[in-house]
Amino acid sequence: MAGSPKVGVLALQGDVREHAALLAGLGAEVVLVRRPEELATVSGLVIPGGESSVIDKLSRIFGLQEPIREAIAAGMPVLGTCAGLIMLADAVVDAIDGQESFGGLDVVVRRNAFGRQVESFEAELDVPELGTGSVKAAFIRGPVVESVGEAASVLAALPDGRVVAVEQGGLLGLSFHPEITGESRFHARFLDRVAARAA
Ligand code: GLN
């Protein structure tokens, strides 16, 4: 994609490389974002899975919290997976003391809602917005979306009704990890948002 806008992967902690590789495979020019100067060069941002309390702390230490909040408020598309969804949520239940999010998504999420690492699982999800063909989703100590505000909409839920994918304008939040099951449609949707905004 010659001349296409650059996209960033927040590279403070977590599975940064998997996202960067997937985006590059879709033809995107990828920047690893650790400083405000790097954030300023990108037109969209992926926040990876990892540990949200660590990503939160490091984002403040690296002076990225405010710039990222401003970019979200200005409409920059952001894809957050797992810990990244927690970082995008306006409210977080079962956060550690003093933990903050960037916010932007009008949802309440509960951290570690699916239990411990050993209770990780995979599920096939229907995501009508992505067309036919179910999504193979890997859940690794992921959050669940406990409530969805008026501004946000549900993209996917488990068969028991628990919400695991939400969208609000250019913000996309997933409880699971598409980047480790070879599912690229969410990243493609994110890149479409970035391209549409640049056009
Ligand atoms: N439990 C982690 C957190 O609270 C998220 C797990 C993940 O991103 N795979 O941030």
Side-chain angles (χ1 to χ4, degrees), residues 50-53 82-83 85-86 92-96 99 109-117 119-121 139-146 162 175 177:
E51 174 48 52
S52 56
S53 59
C82 209
L85 163 59
I86 297 171
V92 181
V93 178
D94 285 347
I96 69 164
Q99 181 173 349
V109 300
R110 180 179 294 275
R111 274 179 76 229
N112 301 332
F114 297 105
R116 295 177 302 148
Q117 192 92 12
E119 291 159 284
S120 299
F121 64 100
F139 290 83
I140 307 166
R141 291 208 318 127
V144 73
V145 180
E146 286 211 331
R162 285 182 292 178
S175 299
H177 291 270

Side-chain angles (χ1 to χ4, degrees), residues 4 9-10 30 35 39 51 53 95-97 99 106 119 126 133 141 161 171 173 180-181 185-186 189 195 198:
S4 65
V9 178
L10 187 61
V30 182
R35 321 150 140 271
L39 180 70
E51 174 48 52
S53 59
I96 69 164
D97 265 2
Q99 181 173 349
D106 184 13
E119 291 159 284
D126 276 334
R141 291 208 318 127
L171 304 180
I180 66 173
T181 50
R185 286 173 288 173
F186 293 103
R189 190 173 176 89

Side-chain angles (χ1 to χ4, degrees), residues 10 12 34 36 52-69 87 95-102:
L10 187 61
L12 301 174
R34 292 191 188 87
S52 56
S53 59
V54 175
I55 295 173
D56 165 41
K57 268 194 201 128
L58 292 176
S59 74
R60 288 188 260 163
I61 290 169
F62 283 64
L64 277 166
Q65 187 193 55
E66 272 317 307
I68 288 174
R69 284 181 174 166
M87 294 307 300
I96 69 164
D97 265 2
Q99 181 173 349
E100 296 176 15
S101 66
F102 301 132

Side-chain angles (χ1 to χ4, degrees), residues 74-190:
M76 178 181 72
V78 183
L79 167 63
T81 65
C82 209
L85 163 59
I86 297 171
M87 294 307 300
L88 282 178
D90 280 346
V92 181
V93 178
D94 285 347
I96 69 164
D97 265 2
Q99 181 173 349
E100 296 176 15
S101 66
F102 301 132
L105 265 181
D106 184 13
V107 297
V108 180
V109 300
R110 180 179 294 275
R111 274 179 76 229
N112 301 332
F114 297 105
R116 295 177 302 148
Q117 192 92 12
V118 291
E119 291 159 284
S120 299
F121 64 100
E122 285 191 4
E124 300 278 336
L125 299 173
D126 276 334
V127 187
E129 292 283 343
L130 296 184
T132 52
S134 61
V135 164
K136 191 195 255 187
F139 290 83
I140 307 166
R141 291 208 318 127
V144 73
V145 180
E146 286 211 331
S147 75
V148 181
E150 258 174 34
S153 55
V154 174
L155 281 184
L158 289 168
D160 64 11
R162 285 182 292 178
V163 174
V164 292
V166 287
E167 186 170 55
Q168 181 179 335
L171 304 180
L172 192 52
L174 313 174
S175 299
F176 49 89
H177 291 270
E179 73 284 3
I180 66 173
T181 50
E183 170 58 63
S184 62
R185 286 173 288 173
F186 293 103
H187 290 73
R189 190 173 176 89
F190 159 74

